[in-house]
Amino acid sequence: MNDHSAGPLPATPVADAARFARSEALRWRAHAMIPGGAHTYAKGDDQYPVLAPGFIRRGAGCRVWDVDGNEYVEYGMGNRAVGLGHCHPEVLAAARVALEFGCNFTRPSPLEAECAEMFLDSVPGAEMVKFCKDGSDATSGAVRLARAYTGRDMVAICSDHPFFSTDDWFIGTTPMTAGIPLAVRELTTGFRYGDLADAQAMFDRHPGRIAALILEPSRGEDPPPGYLAALRDMAHREGALFVLDEMITGFRWSRGGAQEVYGVVPDLATFGKALGNGFSVSALCGLREIMRLGGIEHRDRPRVFLLSTTHGAETHALAAATETMRIYRDEPVTARMHETGAALRRELEDVIAAHGLEDAVRIVGRDCCLAYQSLDGSGQPSQAFRSLLLQETIRRGVLAPSLVVSYAHGAEDIAATVAAFDGALGVYRKALDEGVGRYLVGRPSQVVFRSHNTAPADLP
């Protein structure tokens, strides 16, 4: 690994930039063909400092290599999709075997039933499941089902949670409303996490109109005791469904998701990300009484067109998901991730304290799903200081847009990460004293949801 934590660092921005020469050339080609230069906003150039790898060529375990050959300990692992580690051999073997028989047919594959059985065994509260390719389709399927089941139009989202879908019912609540009709935007409202009174006030403002509440069971910190069950009961009293978005928490909080940890059974739930260890597969699951509306057997209610996609049940993805779930069942995956994350938190907090930066850099979240906050001298969140911390950890061989660990992270990786942060925090300390502009190369990163772009000189 290009580990500069103990040795000298490149002396100039020019020397640093030379490390990413191939990334830079490819980046300008990509922007000419792809809006934003990438197919996921969170992976875009505006989310990273100028001195960052632009393209990852390969990964193994928790290590990745960019197109210039630089090696990193990676966190976030494909936006939390790769829970077991990159190229997990048993998952790859299952996918390869499935591909040898073909990946898509005109009738269902038996893998569809096998994967469904494994999933329903993993998530005890679910009675039926339907697979698709991404989280947005799953959450939008839940919204459609809820509207059909209740006969209502409005949807209530947790306003404290950052993302539910690429579809209009959610994106219309963000600053990026271009292309979304006002009539659609007005069909979604919001409530605050952990605040039952706020949720009740929302129902009172829209009596008899809300089809469903959708929220993540947790963003990292545990919910207030009894909150999720009380919110579900409130939804039911008001005639709405209770939907949990377990894209992040599913198979990370526990094999059965956060709903298992917190002891609440939702009407509908969505899973994805870690479900296939990076393969494209997600799931909408829930109570039979609701899910059956997307089937072909019932006659008492109108049919719901639910998650019908050409590639929704590709065999290799379902084989990968089935094997991934087997590993979560048979091995201590979630326990290991909690233990590794706890060790990482302890050691990083010690380093932060050693630099006197407790008021500027904070480790937050559940041990299995850590993040960090980067604050300026006045204690306010700062994209510039976040970019600086990313820049300096990248220089030391760690790619950490978050601190989300995988099953593959081990003691050696944690030690390398702590050493990289130790060096980076020394620069952070100087930047607080002397100004971040003296140490950050180029423009800071930006938030995804903004109504207009600026024009940073380093982007096409």
Side-chain angles (χ1 to χ4, degrees):
M1 185 178 74
N2 296 330
D3 183 6
H4 302 293
S5 57
L9 289 168
T12 67
V14 173
D16 264 329
R19 297 177 60 216
F20 306 119
R22 292 180 180 174
S23 272
E24 183 68 7
L26 184 55
R27 185 161 67 102
W28 285 77
R29 288 170 52 199
H31 276 276
M33 300 179 289
I34 303 165
H39 291 90
T40 306
Y41 278 118
K43 299 180 183 181
D45 287 325
D46 60 345
Q47 302 301 294
Y48 288 85
V50 172
L51 296 181
F55 298 85
I56 303 299
R57 184 174 296 280
R58 68 184 182 94
C62 69
R63 304 286 177 120
V64 296
W65 289 260
D66 66 20
V67 292
D68 290 278
N70 302 303
E71 181 183 355
Y72 307 90
V73 179
E74 186 193 34
Y75 290 88
M77 306 295 290
N79 295 342
R80 300 176 178 85
V82 184
L84 301 177
H86 299 293
C87 297
H88 190 284
E90 293 165 275
V91 176
L92 288 185
R96 286 192 186 104
V97 169
L99 281 173
E100 291 293 330
F101 292 91
C103 68
N104 211 332
F105 313 113
T106 56
R107 295 302 308 276
S109 161
L111 284 167
E112 298 186 35
E114 294 167 16
C115 191
E117 288 174 349
M118 180 66 81
F119 181 90
L120 295 176
D121 180 66
S122 300
V123 184
E127 296 174 341
M128 299 187 82
V129 62
K130 196 160 191 184
F131 297 114
C132 49
K133 301 306 284 185
D134 60 52
S136 293
D137 284 350
T139 54
S140 292
V143 166
R144 183 179 293 170
L145 267 182
R147 284 170 165 164
Y149 187 79
T150 63
R152 298 174 173 183
D153 293 336
M154 292 192 70
V155 178
I157 64 169
C158 182
S159 302
D160 300 304
H161 296 165
F163 188 80
F164 289 103
S165 175
T166 62
D167 290 329
D168 289 358
W169 63 269
F170 170 71
I171 297 298
T173 68
T174 77
M176 296 177 70
T177 58
I180 301 174
L182 178 61
V184 174
R185 290 153 52 190
E186 290 177 340
L187 291 177
T188 303
T189 188
F191 61 95
R192 308 297 296 185
Y193 186 78
D195 188 340
L196 290 171
D198 185 68
Q200 185 61 63
M202 176 195 66
F203 277 116
D204 292 343
R205 289 192 301 271
H206 306 285
R209 295 195 62 198
I210 295 175
L213 275 64
I214 184 168
L215 71 159
E216 296 180 67
S218 167
R219 284 296 299 175
E221 304 301 329
D222 288 338
Y227 169 70
L228 293 177
L231 186 65
R232 177 199 59 196
D233 294 346
M234 178 188 296
H236 289 172
R237 285 196 305 272
E238 298 288 346
L241 298 189
F242 181 71
V243 183
L244 288 182
D245 178 348
E246 294 236 39
M247 289 295 155
I248 291 174
T249 55
F251 296 94
R252 185 166 286 275
W253 264 232
S254 77
R255 179 178 169 231
Q259 58 189 271
E260 182 177 60
V261 173
Y262 302 131
V264 59
V265 177
D267 299 306
L268 298 170
T270 59
F271 287 73
K273 294 191 182 288
L275 175 59
N277 200 50
F279 281 87
S280 180
V281 59
S282 58
L284 168 62
C285 64
L287 302 180
R288 183 178 303 277
E289 173 63 19
I290 304 165
M291 292 289 294
R292 71 185 181 93
L293 300 186
I296 59 176
E297 297 87 4
H298 68 284
R299 295 179 177 83
D300 58 322
R301 285 176 175 261
R303 297 180 66 196
V304 176
F305 192 88
L306 181 66
L307 298 179
S308 178
T309 60
T310 298
H311 304 288
E314 288 176 312
T315 60
H316 59 290
L318 293 186
T322 303
E323 182 62 17
T324 297
M325 288 186 283
R326 183 200 65 77
I327 294 169
Y328 275 86
R329 183 193 67 192
D330 296 345
E331 299 183 26
V333 179
T334 58
R336 178 85 58 79
M337 288 192 289
H338 280 83
E339 292 166 4
T340 302
L344 178 61
R345 184 201 294 268
R346 286 194 304 271
E347 296 190 38
L348 285 180
E349 287 180 341
D350 287 345
V351 170
I352 292 167
H355 286 276
L357 291 171
E358 299 98 320
D359 294 331
V361 181
R362 298 170 184 165
I363 309 301
V364 297
R366 193 176 180 86
D367 289 337
C368 65
C369 195
L370 295 176
Y372 56 86
Q373 295 175 339
S374 304
L375 311 177
D376 62 19
S378 63
Q380 296 302 308
S382 169
Q383 289 296 121
F385 275 96
R386 173 178 170 80
S387 300
L388 178 65
L389 191 51
L390 269 169
Q391 171 186 288
E392 295 302 315
T393 50
I394 286 169
R395 292 176 79 195
R396 293 162 173 84
V398 173
L399 183 58
S402 72
L403 292 168
V404 176
V405 299
S406 72
Y407 192 39
H409 283 83
E412 178 184 352
D413 309 302
I414 299 305
T417 303
V418 173
F421 268 82
D422 190 15
L425 291 172
V427 179
Y428 200 112
R429 175 78 272 170
K430 292 179 181 178
L432 282 174
D433 296 336
E434 303 171 24
V436 68
R438 292 196 61 181
Y439 294 92
L440 177 63
V441 177
R443 47 87 188 139
S445 61
Q446 301 183 57
V447 296
V448 167
F449 291 123
R450 56 187 192 274
S451 61
H452 290 76
N453 291 323
T454 57
D458 64 301
L459 291 180

